[in-house]
Amino acid sequence: MKYSKTELMICVAARLMEDYSTCFIGTGIPMLAASLAQKLHAPHIIPIFEFGGIGANLKKLPRAVGEGRTFYRALAATGICDIMESAQRGFIDYGFLGGAQIDPYGNLNTTVIGDYSRPKVRLPGSGGGNDVGSLCWRTIIIMKHEKKRFVEKVDFITTPGYLGGKGKREESGLPEGTGPYRVVTDLALLDFDEETKRMRVISLHPGVMLEEVKENTGFELLVKEPLEVTPEPTEEELRILREEVDKERYYI
Amino acid sequence: MGNKTIEIVEEGIGELIQKPDVEEFRKFVREKKRRALVEKVMDEKEAVSQFIKDGDYIGVELYGTVRAPLSIIREIVRQGKKDLRLAGQGLLEIDYLLAADLVTAMDVTYIGYEVLGLSPIFRRAAENGKVKIVEWSNAAMAWRFKAAAMGVPFIPIRSMLGSDTFKYSAAKVIKCPFTGIKLCLLPALILDVGIIHVHKADKYGNCVIEGISGFAFEMARASKRLIISTEEIVSTDEIRRYPEKTIIPYFLTDAVVYAPFGSHPGEMVYLYERDEEHLKMFLRMCETEEGTKKYMDEYVYSVKNHKEYLEKIGIEKLMKLKYEKMGR
């Protein structure tokens, strides 16, 4: 069955969502991934949205992090303090984020492109991104793989990854044992090397060569040997994604 | 027990655009917050002229296109209240005020239209350096309101650390005197005026919100003056029969404005969906300064009040948006 790069990216992200885990869902692709996971292997996943939605039935795809669909048939509808405080006390297992730029240590920029005082492009800003990346146990980043996005140094660290390398998060006061866990792109699945905390390719998507990944990355990538190949989306994954998750075709 | 001072490890370079003066706030709450049970129902015009003045620091609740107090914001624009400082947690609210050139400084967390893209108005304001901007995270802004609601000048948190979001904020990093770990201290954010759109209120300002409550609880308590707009005015008897639902008791509220479809073109959960068509048109028009001006003329300046605005949108359109597709 034919599929698009976006569809593959959603499937890969969804597979990372474990049943019965608490997942902080940001806007965009994480919403599709959570919905797909809930309909397939993780029916008991607890999706958490920053303005108060806890444990929604993601029957209808949310288009914004505060809208009604983030707490449709939910366990609870609380507020942003409760959600962020839950993350701060260690209750949220995974946080799913996107970004405009990422560096080798998983630091994310969603604030400005160019100089801060006179930016070329002013982006929205942190939103809950900084809190998710600071407080959730494992952060999973979903981004399109392009050289202008995967850069040696981000223009602005909106959300901390491993900052300057191993131990730097803890040095800055961020909670121990947290940080970026995976990066899902349209070309590959990546993690972070234990010793250096630099980004590392662990799996290539079907038909993608390592060279192509390197060409689309603006910094030196580590590669895990042996490199795996990401399983293709199954017919069931694609069918549910198209017919149930994003029926209204907001993203796919 | 040697060192008795708390060490400040690092300081953000952003300006503190509203001082966390909790002593002054206490006095205000004692002297100016009315305990008397008085009727506060009034229209947008009266609420804005009575409770908002030039130079005020104002905040709106919730974020995005959800439960947005837009009938109040359009009236602020019409009255041309200027030199406003804003807690940038709204979206259309912020954009309308920026488009009308009424804002001098903002505490910002996220201004963007999510699935519909960036905000052209905010982009222009930031890229031209027209408005002073201080960065925060979403949790930080909510916790700053929480600190104000608690009546303390700061609150320690564990996000923002290590980032440029911190660097361009007005927060500080200290070493915790109990554990030695580094903590980010946020200054309390006391609003001159808070504006919140709710599902139900009685004539005294007791309010009910359905669904998620965002940061309404904290912001209502962090506001010196509080303007409520509501989809429905209910009896006090209904409020008193379900007191667990009262998120804002009347003594926090200064004005109650009856504003059905007050969140349009945003949504109101369980009542109506957001107006996707209108939002897309708004974003398209706002790509240029001229288009923005045209939009503002058409939908803000040329209508006298909320009733005229709703007539302009049209009953047919409003009925189409009624929240019937999903329900509860």
Side-chain angles (χ1 to χ4, degrees):
Chain A
M1 212 158 151
K2 278 199 170 169
Y3 54 88
S4 72
K5 284 179 166 183
T6 306
E7 287 174 328
L8 175 65
M9 205 156 66
I10 296 163
C11 292
V12 175
R15 292 169 193 161
L16 292 170
M17 296 182 175
E18 292 165 50
D19 206 12
Y20 290 103
S21 66
T22 45
C23 294
F24 205 124
I25 308 295
T27 197
I29 296 213
M31 292 171 173
L32 291 113
S35 170
L36 182 61
Q38 194 182 59
K39 291 174 204 300
L40 283 170
H41 63 276
H44 309 97
I45 191 180
I46 305 170
I48 296 178
F49 294 89
E50 64 196 74
F51 287 105
I54 302 174
N57 175 342
L58 299 170
K59 188 172 167 217
K60 284 221 171 182
L61 187 68
R63 298 149 297 183
V65 290
E67 73 146 304
R69 294 176 181 191
T70 64
F71 52 93
Y72 175 66
R73 290 281 167 114
L75 296 167
T78 65
I80 182 170
C81 286
D82 176 51
I83 299 299
M84 295 301 189
E85 287 157 19
S86 300
Q88 190 163 256
R89 68 173 185 268
F91 186 63
I92 305 191
D93 302 317
Y94 293 96
F96 289 81
L97 289 174
Q101 281 184 332
I102 188 166
D103 74 9
Y105 299 106
N107 299 306
L108 284 170
N109 175 17
T110 54
T111 303
V112 287
I113 300 295
D115 175 55
Y116 180 76
S117 59
R118 234 23 218 282
K120 207 165 100 200
V121 185
R122 171 69 210 204
L123 301 167
S126 161
N130 180 287
D131 310 302
V132 170
S134 298
L135 304 174
C136 294
W137 285 107
R138 291 170 157 180
T139 314
I140 293 172
I141 299 147
I142 308 171
M143 268 173 79
K144 241 181 132 182
H145 212 130
E146 295 170 2
K147 205 164 191 160
K148 62 168 189 191
R149 293 174 178 272
F150 284 65
V151 294
E152 185 63 53
K153 199 171 178 304
V154 291
D155 295 344
F156 189 100
I157 301 181
T158 310
T159 299
Y162 291 105
L163 298 171
K166 190 168 183 159
K168 296 291 181 199
R169 275 180 76 91
E170 291 76 7
E171 247 173 61
S172 77
L174 289 165
E176 279 174 31
T178 56
Y181 173 66
R182 292 284 186 274
V183 181
V184 180
T185 79
D186 48 347
L187 300 179
L189 178 63
L190 307 98
D191 73 351
F192 293 84
D193 175 60
E194 250 324 293
E195 282 315 300
T196 59
K197 295 294 181 192
R198 281 184 68 104
M199 208 186 288
R200 178 173 75 162
V201 189
I202 57 173
S203 178
L204 294 172
H205 294 348
V208 176
M209 293 308 204
L210 183 58
E211 267 321 297
E212 192 183 347
V213 178
K214 286 185 171 172
E215 274 165 25
N216 286 287
T217 307
F219 53 82
E220 207 181 318
L221 268 178
L222 302 175
V223 179
K224 187 184 180 187
E225 300 287 354
L227 207 45
E228 287 176 28
V229 175
T230 313
E232 289 200 324
T234 64
E235 276 187 34
E236 196 190 15
E237 281 173 326
L238 289 173
R239 184 182 58 79
I240 291 180
L241 187 55
R242 291 169 191 171
E243 290 171 20
E244 293 181 29
V245 173
D246 195 11
K247 259 195 304 223
E248 296 150 290
R249 296 288 143 126
Y250 276 101
Y251 295 91
I252 60 171
Chain B
M1 295 300 282
N3 197 349
K4 292 273 170 66
T5 55
I6 293 179
E7 182 194 348
I8 295 171
V9 183
E10 223 182 320
E11 288 182 273
I13 59 173
E15 192 180 316
L16 188 55
I17 58 181
Q18 176 82 328
K19 303 271 181 287
D21 190 344
V22 289
E23 286 294 358
E24 200 254 345
F25 189 38
R26 269 184 69 85
K27 282 184 200 128
F28 185 96
V29 169
R30 182 188 200 182
E31 289 160 16
K32 305 276 174 64
K33 278 290 174 194
R34 285 179 293 184
R35 277 75 168 161
L37 197 62
V38 287
E39 290 186 23
K40 294 162 190 164
V41 180
M42 58 186 83
D43 64 7
E44 283 87 357
K45 207 170 192 166
E46 196 184 343
V48 170
S49 63
Q50 201 179 330
F51 295 108
I52 301 182
K53 53 185 198 314
D54 293 350
D56 272 351
Y57 189 107
I58 72 175
V60 292
E61 203 259 345
L62 181 64
Y63 159 72
T65 53
V66 184
R67 212 156 45 63
L70 287 167
S71 77
I72 307 288
I73 298 296
R74 280 186 287 263
E75 182 59 30
I76 296 176
V77 171
R78 281 192 293 270
Q79 291 190 21
K81 299 288 180 186
K82 57 179 191 294
D83 301 328
L84 300 174
R85 294 163 299 137
L86 295 185
Q89 276 270 39
L91 182 54
L92 285 156
E93 299 93 322
I94 307 292
D95 271 350
Y96 287 172
L97 296 172
L98 285 173
D101 214 6
L102 301 173
V103 183
T104 58
M106 293 167 67
D107 286 307
V108 168
T109 91
Y110 182 103
I111 301 178
Y113 287 81
E114 298 187 66
V115 65
L116 301 176
L118 301 176
S119 152
I121 296 174
F122 174 56
R123 269 195 70 175
R124 275 198 298 277
E127 289 164 22
N128 299 335
K130 239 170 62 179
V131 177
K132 187 178 294 165
I133 291 172
V134 187
E135 307 287 332
W136 305 89
S137 71
N138 260 2
M141 286 300 282
W143 281 328
R144 292 185 66 194
F145 291 133
K146 182 170 197 153
M150 289 169 72
V152 295
F154 68 81
I155 191 166
I157 68 159
R158 300 199 72 193
S159 61
M160 301 256 301
L161 294 155
S163 65
D164 289 327
T165 306
F166 168 80
K167 186 179 163 193
Y168 290 93
S169 77
K172 296 178 197 292
V173 176
I174 58 140
K175 275 217 175 114
C176 168
F178 297 101
T179 63
I181 62 172
K182 284 183 188 168
L183 293 170
C184 175
L185 297 190
L186 303 173
L189 182 48
I190 301 164
L191 294 171
D192 292 323
V193 188
I195 307 166
I196 302 179
H197 189 58
V198 302
H199 288 79
K200 294 173 184 178
D202 71 3
K203 59 188 177 185
Y204 306 111
N206 292 302
C207 305
V208 172
I209 287 173
E210 297 187 338
I212 55 167
S213 52
F215 46 99
F217 182 93
E218 293 79 15
M219 206 185 93
R221 287 152 180 81
S223 299
K224 285 184 169 172
R225 300 182 290 276
L226 181 63
I227 298 175
I228 294 295
S229 57
T230 181
E231 291 289 331
E232 193 188 343
I233 296 200
V234 296
S235 70
T236 303
D237 183 57
E238 187 178 327
I239 296 283
R240 285 188 177 275
R241 267 195 289 156
Y242 304 95
E244 66 278 9
K245 289 192 174 179
T246 309
I247 190 161
I248 300 168
Y250 79 90
F251 48 78
L252 295 171
T253 304
D254 292 288
V256 178
V257 177
Y258 173 54
F261 287 96
S263 183
H264 182 275
E267 69 169 88
M268 196 68 182
V269 73
Y270 306 131
L271 296 177
Y272 51 90
E273 301 251 19
R274 74 179 190 179
D275 188 341
E276 216 62 24
E277 230 174 25
H278 189 100
L279 283 170
K280 284 179 185 159
M281 172 193 72
F282 164 73
L283 287 173
R284 216 174 32 245
M285 288 179 79
C286 293
E287 275 167 23
T288 63
E289 300 243 18
E290 302 74 60
T292 308
K293 197 180 162 299
K294 233 171 119 185
Y295 178 89
M296 295 297 286
D297 280 342
E298 172 88 12
Y299 291 100
V300 183
Y301 292 112
S302 79
V303 291
K304 273 212 304 283
N305 52 35
H306 187 52
K307 188 167 165 281
E308 274 194 22
Y309 173 83
L310 293 183
E311 281 164 10
K312 180 168 280 282
I313 300 303
I315 185 86
E316 217 172 293
K317 179 63 166 289
L318 294 174
M319 289 305 114
K320 242 173 73 186
L321 295 170
K322 280 222 165 193
Y323 211 97
E324 55 200 14
K325 281 179 235 153
M326 197 155 84
R328 284 178 180 268

